[in-house]
Amino acid sequence: MAKTALVLGASGGFGGQVAQALQGAGWTVRRYTRGTDMVAAATGADLIVNGLNPPAYHAWDQLIPQITAQVLAAGKASGATLLIPGNVYPYGIEPGPWNADTPHRPVSRKGRIRSEMEARYRAAADQGQRTILLRGGDFLLPEAPQMVMNRLILGEVAKGKVTTLGDPDALHAYAYLPDMARAAVALVALGQALPAYADIPFGGHAFTNSELAARISRLSGRPMRIKRFPRWIFTLASPVWELARELREMLYLYDHPHRLDPAPLRHWLTDWQDTDLDTVIARHLQGRLMSTQTGK
C-alpha cells in the first residue's frame, strides 16, 4: 500500500520539490491548504513535510513558533514522521564544516529563532516524535525567480556581471533543491534505521562568487566580472522596508566562509551523488546567456 505524505507549503521551493520526489517514489501526496485545520489534514499521514515559511522573513518571531506548534500537534495526533528543512543560521560564525556536532551560537535574531525552533523538535523527538531535520545552505532552483541566486547574484549575468553581497572569495553553502528533495525522500525511506531525531547536513555545493564567475566564463566563453552590491541600501531602506531590515542582519553569511559537512549524508546514503555543479549552473544560465553550454 502506498504511503501518504502531507506537504505543507507545496507551492514553495522545498515543499514543491519534495512533493514531486515523493510522488516519483510512489507516495500519495496531499497538499495542505494554508489556514485550514492541520491536525485534521494530517489524519492518516505517514509523513508531514514542513515546507511552510513566512514570506520575506515577515514576523518570524511570531509565525515560526506558531507553525512549529501546529506541525508538532499534527505529528502527535497522526503519528507521522516529520521532515523539516533546516538552515545554517543557528551556527553563527562557528568554524566549519558544519554538522550536528557544531554548537548553536547564533549571531542574528533569526538564527536564535531557528535554534529555538529546532530545540522544540528535538524535545518532541525525546517524547517519541520521529523527526528528520535535513539542513541545507542557500537554495538553488533555476525556475524560482525569488531565489537569491536568480534574483541577485545572476541578475546582471547577461551584462557580464556576477553580483556579490559580500566578500567574493568567501565560501558559501548552497543546496540544489532537486538534489535535496531526492536526499530527503531517500532518508525517509530508511525509517526506523535513523535516530528519532536525525539532524543531517546536506553538503550540496559550496563555492565563492569568484569561483562562480570563473565557472560561468568557462561554460559560456564570455568574460565575467564581479560587481559588489551596495550594502548601504539595506541600512537606508530598513526603516521603511521590512525585507531590507531582515536581510541586513544576515549579510555576515556572505563574508564568513562556510560549508556543510557532506560526510553524515553519505553515511546514511552510501551511493549518494550530487548533480554536477557545471550542470546546476548551466541550468541557471539557460535563457540568460544564449551561448551557455553545459561543461563536459
Side-chain angles (χ1 to χ4, degrees):
M1 181 179 295
K3 291 190 174 183
T4 299
L6 176 66
V7 179
L8 320 177
S11 62
F14 182 82
Q17 290 297 308
V18 172
Q20 290 181 37
L22 285 167
Q23 287 177 318
W27 284 68
T28 297
V29 173
R30 300 179 195 156
R31 288 165 169 80
Y32 172 70
T33 300
R34 193 184 292 261
T36 61
D37 186 335
M38 194 180 295
V39 169
T43 300
D46 303 286
L47 175 70
I48 299 172
V49 180
N50 182 13
L52 289 178
N53 211 27
Y57 289 127
H58 176 67
W60 264 39
D61 57 340
Q62 301 171 39
L63 296 179
I64 293 291
Q66 290 175 14
I67 292 170
T68 302
Q70 289 178 310
V71 172
L72 287 171
K76 183 176 182 179
S78 64
T81 295
L82 305 180
L83 173 62
I84 313 296
N87 64 25
V88 301
Y89 299 178
Y91 296 139
I93 54 174
E94 289 297 293
W98 291 334
N99 57 36
D101 294 326
T102 305
H104 283 202
R105 294 194 176 107
V107 296
S108 66
R109 184 176 63 93
K110 284 183 286 299
R112 175 184 55 78
I113 291 168
R114 291 289 297 206
S115 184
E116 291 171 353
M117 178 200 83
E118 291 183 25
R120 294 183 67 182
Y121 284 117
R122 193 179 298 108
D126 290 340
Q127 301 301 315
Q129 173 61 67
R130 299 195 65 82
T131 300
I132 301 170
L133 186 137
L134 184 59
R135 190 185 306 279
D138 271 357
F139 290 165
L140 297 176
L141 190 62
E143 61 268 29
Q146 75 275 17
M147 302 295 179
V148 171
M149 179 62 70
N150 299 320
R151 186 175 185 178
L152 183 68
I153 297 175
L154 297 180
E156 295 188 68
V157 72
K159 299 177 182 178
K161 302 174 185 177
V162 171
T163 303
T164 183
L165 278 164
D167 181 355
D169 297 314
L171 197 67
H172 195 92
Y174 292 95
Y176 181 49
L177 276 178
D179 283 354
M180 190 174 179
R182 182 165 52 91
V185 174
L187 289 170
V188 169
L190 295 177
Q192 299 286 326
L194 291 175
Y197 184 78
D199 181 348
I200 301 174
F202 179 74
H205 297 289
F207 51 86
T208 71
N209 275 338
S210 294
E211 291 169 343
L212 175 62
R215 189 177 293 267
I216 293 172
S217 293
R218 176 172 56 79
L219 289 170
S220 66
R222 298 173 60 173
M224 291 286 146
R225 65 183 182 87
I226 299 292
K227 173 188 174 182
R228 287 182 176 269
F229 187 86
R231 302 206 309 193
W232 56 264
I233 288 176
F234 292 116
T235 301
L236 184 67
S238 287
V240 294
W241 185 19
E242 181 184 40
L243 180 57
R245 183 169 61 253
E246 296 299 331
L247 280 173
R248 184 174 61 170
E249 74 164 357
M250 307 312 300
L251 292 176
Y252 75 92
L253 282 169
Y254 296 93
D255 292 321
H256 179 66
H258 65 275
R259 72 180 308 151
L260 286 159
D261 186 356
L265 184 69
R266 290 195 169 97
H267 167 78
W268 294 107
L269 306 178
T270 55
D271 296 326
W272 176 258
Q273 292 291 328
D274 291 289
T275 300
D276 178 75
L277 184 55
D278 275 3
T279 301
V280 173
I281 298 305
R283 288 173 182 169
H284 279 77
L285 295 174
Q286 288 174 1
R288 292 176 181 267
L289 292 175
M290 297 301 294
S291 63
T292 297
Q293 299 177 348
T294 301
K296 303 299 184 183

